[in-house]
Amino acid sequence: MSARLSVGDTAPEFTLSDADGNQVALTDLRGQSVIVYFYPAAMTPGCTKQACDFRDSLDSLQAAGYAVLGISPDKPEKLAKFRDRDAVTFPLLSDPDKQVLTEYGAFGEKTMYGKKVTGVIRSTFVVDPDGKIAVAQYNVKATGHVAKLRRDLGL
């Protein structure tokens, strides 16, 4: 099990490919707050609900100074289909070797339908403008999570 991050920790840096194969680095967003969320698989019901909730809240999140990045183990081609099918308007990043997922503690043992399995732990982080973890939430629910995050952020 990878170590979990806590508020005040330095956010692990990453550079990942987006749905179009372009490189996106966390350092490129330094100076603004970034919501980084990890989800198990593009185009599944829960992950679609969560992505659409972020999409629908994006204008108000950006107005409050937040960028949004979604990260999954999916290949860029699948992320492009997901983006296009559901009109996702923020970067979806590919972490096929699960290195970034592991560094954020978002990959490991979890309970699914009463059984212990190893996989992506649905998690959300807010990285502050200085690159520190301002919010760390593990095992979040796909439905209602964005509304809860907005409340937690006072938005």
Side-chain angles (χ1 to χ4, degrees):
M1 181 94 170
S2 49
R4 293 200 163 184
L5 297 175
S6 299
V7 172
D9 289 348
T10 298
E13 293 295 341
F14 59 80
T15 301
L16 295 171
S17 295
D18 69 8
D20 296 316
N22 300 311
Q23 298 295 297
V24 176
L26 184 60
T27 54
D28 293 343
L29 300 170
R30 188 73 77 238
Q32 66 180 308
S33 294
V34 183
I35 297 168
V36 180
Y37 82 96
F38 295 92
Y39 61 99
M43 306 200 351
T44 57
C47 297
T48 298
K49 174 70 175 142
Q50 188 177 24
C52 290
D53 281 352
F54 272 115
R55 176 201 67 204
D56 295 346
S57 294
L58 191 61
D59 287 345
S60 64
L61 289 169
Q62 288 177 330
Y66 294 91
V68 176
L69 300 174
I71 301 176
S72 76
D74 297 303
K75 300 261 189 259
E77 300 78 28
K78 186 174 181 186
L79 296 177
K81 287 179 187 169
F82 185 36
R83 177 199 61 205
D84 295 345
R85 184 192 78 176
D86 294 298
V88 176
T89 51
F90 55 86
L92 297 173
L93 306 180
S94 173
D95 185 21
D97 63 7
K98 304 173 188 76
Q99 180 181 339
V100 177
L101 283 148
T102 301
E103 289 174 358
Y104 276 78
F107 186 82
E109 190 175 276
K110 63 182 182 175
T111 303
M112 197 165 150
Y113 306 113
K115 294 184 175 171
K116 295 273 188 209
V117 297
T118 299
V120 175
I121 300 164
R122 192 181 301 276
S123 307
T124 299
F125 304 88
V126 177
V127 180
D128 74 15
D130 297 320
K132 300 285 187 193
I133 300 291
V135 173
Q137 298 176 336
Y138 290 93
N139 297 307
V140 302
K141 302 280 183 232
T143 302
H145 171 62
V146 175
K148 181 187 180 308
L149 179 64
R150 291 170 52 81
R151 286 192 303 274
D152 292 348
L153 296 173
L155 303 177

